[in-house]
Amino acid sequence: MPVPRATNARSSSPPHSRSPPGGERDVVLHRDGRADAGSDTVAVAVSQSGGTEEIVEAMQQAARCGARTIAVTNGADSPLARGADLALVTAAGTELAVPATKTYTAQLVALAVLALAVGDEQRLLGRLDDVPEAVSRMLGTAEATAALAAELRDVERMVVTARGLALTTAREIALKLQEACHLAAVGLSAADLQHGPIAMLDARTPALLVASPADAAVSAGMVETARRARAAGAGCTCSVATTPSRPSRTRESQTRTCRRSSPPSRSSCPVSC
């Protein structure tokens, strides 16, 4: 996986020259185009191509209001990269298919590096070294994934749901299903799903649940979502990234999938759904 490359894209005055009176201020971007920001604000803009107009314009507006700007993009010479104070260029290479895959995962790495740097969490940086091996193990699930795809080949609608940090991945999966499979797929928070939209689920509209046992705060809610999906008659597919409870030099991480239209035993489903 490529390491994001940082470049100083836009020359500007030192941060202190843009400090507003009154100290720190949060950035607020209004729908009418106004923005409130200051030099203590950093605006991070993320775009695979670096050419998405509304993202470029929002970043430019934040800069005009005094914010420092960071671009995360795969386009080294894109308007977003050129206009930012700092550009994290993922250098993942050209996407050859409509669904963005490697650029999406590279952006996640770039944002993780940025977050760890801002939070001064140097002790956690080493965990990123485990990512290439985890990706290799994930690619080793191709046979199981193909079998699951065969089961779902006649599906025309699907709901992809998650909570916590997995929600963005659930929404990204829904987008990939729309782009590559022409499915009417929707990515929803499991909390939102249970407040009305769960009525969409039936025998012809399965639910794909994305979860991580490491995100214990939302695990119980995901189990309840799986139970309610089955009660609605929907096929329930659970995609769970698992990690061992004991720390080890090489962290085990894999994806298990199970498809259930009736209640499974606790031992058969990775989220005990």
Side-chain angles (χ1 to χ4, degrees):
M1 180 172 293
V3 176
R5 184 173 65 246
T7 61
N8 290 309
R10 180 167 64 90
S11 61
S12 57
S13 54
H16 296 295
S17 68
R18 290 199 253 172
S19 294
E24 294 184 5
R25 297 169 62 192
D26 293 330
V27 63
V28 179
L29 296 179
H30 302 275
R31 295 189 67 178
D32 61 5
R34 293 178 297 113
D36 303 323
S39 64
D40 293 317
T41 297
V42 175
V44 181
V46 184
S47 170
Q48 187 275 126
S49 66
T52 306
E53 289 186 9
E54 59 268 29
I55 296 177
V56 174
E57 290 173 0
M59 186 188 71
Q60 291 172 341
Q61 182 69 9
R64 284 193 291 270
C65 293
R68 310 297 289 182
T69 56
I70 298 176
V72 178
T73 179
N74 197 45
D77 193 37
S78 63
L80 196 70
R82 292 195 304 269
D85 292 311
L86 178 70
L88 294 179
V89 180
T90 53
T94 303
E95 287 282 8
L96 300 181
V98 172
T101 52
K102 60 184 179 181
T103 51
Y104 171 71
T105 52
Q107 285 172 353
L108 292 181
V109 173
L111 291 171
V113 171
L114 178 61
L116 292 175
V118 171
D120 196 23
E121 293 286 352
Q122 299 298 317
R123 61 187 181 84
L124 296 178
L125 281 173
R127 296 184 61 177
L128 292 176
D129 294 336
D130 298 332
V131 171
E133 186 176 349
V135 170
S136 295
R137 281 196 296 273
M138 180 195 67
L139 294 175
T141 65
E143 185 176 341
T145 303
L148 178 61
E151 289 186 46
L152 299 173
R153 66 181 179 272
D154 295 326
V155 167
E156 295 182 357
R157 301 180 300 274
M158 182 178 291
V159 173
V160 189
T161 184
R163 295 188 73 174
L165 294 176
L167 178 56
T168 54
T169 296
R171 288 174 172 164
E172 191 70 17
I173 290 172
L175 176 62
K176 300 295 182 275
L177 291 171
Q178 294 167 8
E179 293 175 324
C181 304
H182 299 174
L183 285 183
V186 59
L188 290 173
S189 159
D192 292 338
L193 177 66
Q194 296 192 46
H195 292 281
I198 199 166
M200 294 187 294
L201 301 181
D202 55 30
R204 297 196 304 171
T205 309
L208 173 60
L209 284 71
V210 184
S212 169
D215 204 353
V218 298
S219 294
M222 290 303 297
V223 172
E224 178 61 23
T225 299
R227 289 172 177 160
R228 291 192 62 182
R230 285 203 325 275
C236 176
T237 298
C238 303
S239 179
V240 182
T242 63
T243 54
S245 56
R246 294 184 212 169
S248 61
R249 179 167 188 155
T250 303
R251 296 177 182 271
E252 295 295 327
S253 177
Q254 58 185 1
T255 298
R256 296 180 184 174
T257 59
C258 66
R259 178 105 188 278
R260 295 287 183 269
S261 56
S262 59
S265 66
R266 277 191 166 275
S267 61
S268 64
C269 179
V271 291
S272 301
C273 63

